[in-house]
Amino acid sequence: MEKVKLRLYQLTLILSLISLALALLSSGKQREFFYIAIYASIIGLACEYKKITLRPFSIALPILLVGLLNLIWYMVYEYHSEGLNAYSDYLGASKKLILASILVFYLDRFKSYIDKTSFQKYFLFAVSAGFVLATGYGLWQATQGVDRVEMAINRPTVSAYVYSVLSLALVYSLYLQKNRKLYVVAGLTILISWFVILFTGTRAAMGLYLLLAIVLTLYHFRRIHLKTMLIFLCIVAGIVIVSYKPLISPKIDQTQMELERYQKGNDATSLGARFSMWIVGIQNGLSHPLGQSIEDREVWSQHYVKEGHPHLVSALGFLRIHLHNELIEKYSLQGIPGLAILLFFYISMIAYALKNRNGLLLTAMLLLLLYGLTDVILLSSEALIFFVTVFALSTPFSQTRQR
């Protein structure tokens, strides 16, 4: 029986690694391997039922709570008006989060089945394969003259979010090998990744990727040699010089133009619409502290804009999608309970990562939090599956001993 338990854990781990590697190559296959890994984890937990304990704290808990709240909110506010809508983003997200919490819990609780050094090698192989193939795919798309590189995900912004985390996961894995040659490879990975991210045209990723790469490096090494940093900065400067006119300058000009238009009362731009959505979303939350349905949010917002806030009119076009801010989206629909649980999710996950010196989890959570200030990632199927898979696979990197 012990051998069966070991094989189940190894199978779950392999399936999760494959799902991670396929995130930017095939969304369908990524999803299939993710669900098969969950089914394997459920069987594994059934075999391990005598060993299951709720202590110590597992990051599966905050993930489960977000999923349960999505489900409860859907059943209270959406189910009665439309019946069971299998295509609802919130219902789909709740299912993925609840099931993912099982996967996270299983891989976390029984990580003693695999040697940490061996796991690091498996993880390095998986993220290396995924990164190389995704980078090649992205660069190929760029040579085909596409406006914005999107790889296998049909939304360039989501592709940029996933690619940036995949890249930093590879960088972290290379750091753990404690090999000077691989440190050089890590540096080249950062530079190549940023170059690819520029082709996605995603301003948040363009601005945050290098910053988080530096944070991860400082967090892991605690110090950086001046000579190494100077070489790195010189290469970055070279990329900036080459890419500035075709890739960076247009985004800076666009941002300045959109800010100027918004100050003049025109919110019909990408940034302007976001500002309007955030204002309308906060007002929705203040008026509905216990939550409301999507339809009620739309009706209330239309009235709010019509009755004295016509400069926020662009927000109305996104009320059936989301409000491009994770916290405000939760607050506008799920009120104070939704906001509180989401904050608990962020804080507990980051605190766990810091306490256990888990650089992978810390980096992924910081990017999820920061990207969530201008987008809603926890409703995107591809991004959600990718992030929770990273969370599950990050648990063996924790520095504390399994109890």
Side-chain angles (χ1 to χ4, degrees), residues 335-351:
I336 295 173
L339 184 61
I341 288 183
L342 185 60
L343 287 172
F344 172 73
F345 167 75
Y346 286 137
I347 294 170
S348 61
M349 296 279 280
I350 292 174

Side-chain angles (χ1 to χ4, degrees), residues 197-349:
I197 288 171
L198 292 178
F199 281 112
T200 69
T202 304
R203 285 174 286 188
M206 291 164 64
L208 290 172
Y209 175 77
L210 283 181
L211 177 62
L212 265 294
I214 293 171
V215 169
L216 175 62
T217 304
L218 289 172
Y219 182 76
H220 181 75
F221 292 104
R222 307 295 173 177
R223 61 188 177 87
I224 297 179
H225 296 293
L226 180 60
K227 182 179 179 180
T228 304
M229 179 58 73
L230 287 175
I231 294 173
F232 179 79
L233 292 176
C234 286
I235 298 174
V236 170
I239 294 177
V240 170
I241 292 171
V242 173
S243 308
Y244 185 78
K245 188 173 182 179
L247 299 173
I248 299 175
S249 180
K251 290 299 178 181
I252 294 175
D253 294 340
Q254 179 186 353
T255 301
Q256 291 176 338
M257 177 270 293
E258 291 178 355
L259 289 173
E260 290 172 0
R261 287 188 178 182
Y262 189 76
Q263 290 173 348
K264 295 177 181 178
N266 180 2
D267 68 341
T269 61
S270 178
L271 276 181
R274 278 175 164 80
F275 294 149
S276 295
M277 282 186 272
W278 299 343
I279 293 172
V280 171
I282 292 171
Q283 293 301 320
N284 267 281
L286 292 172
S287 299
H288 305 85
L290 296 180
Q292 62 180 330
S293 68
I294 294 176
E295 183 179 355
D296 288 342
R297 180 176 72 177
E298 185 176 28
V299 172
W300 188 93
S301 300
Q302 289 172 344
H303 179 76
Y304 178 77
V305 171
K306 184 179 179 180
E307 295 299 317
H309 303 87
H311 59 288
L312 304 176
V313 67
S314 290
L316 301 181
F318 297 88
L319 295 171
R320 285 278 175 175
I321 307 171
H322 58 69
L323 301 183
H324 287 74
N325 181 293
E326 203 83 60
L327 291 164
I328 294 175
E329 171 72 10
K330 281 284 184 188
Y331 187 43
S332 69
L333 288 177
Q334 298 178 359
I336 295 173
L339 184 61
I341 288 183
L342 185 60
L343 287 172
F344 172 73
F345 167 75
Y346 286 137
I347 294 170
S348 61
M349 296 279 280

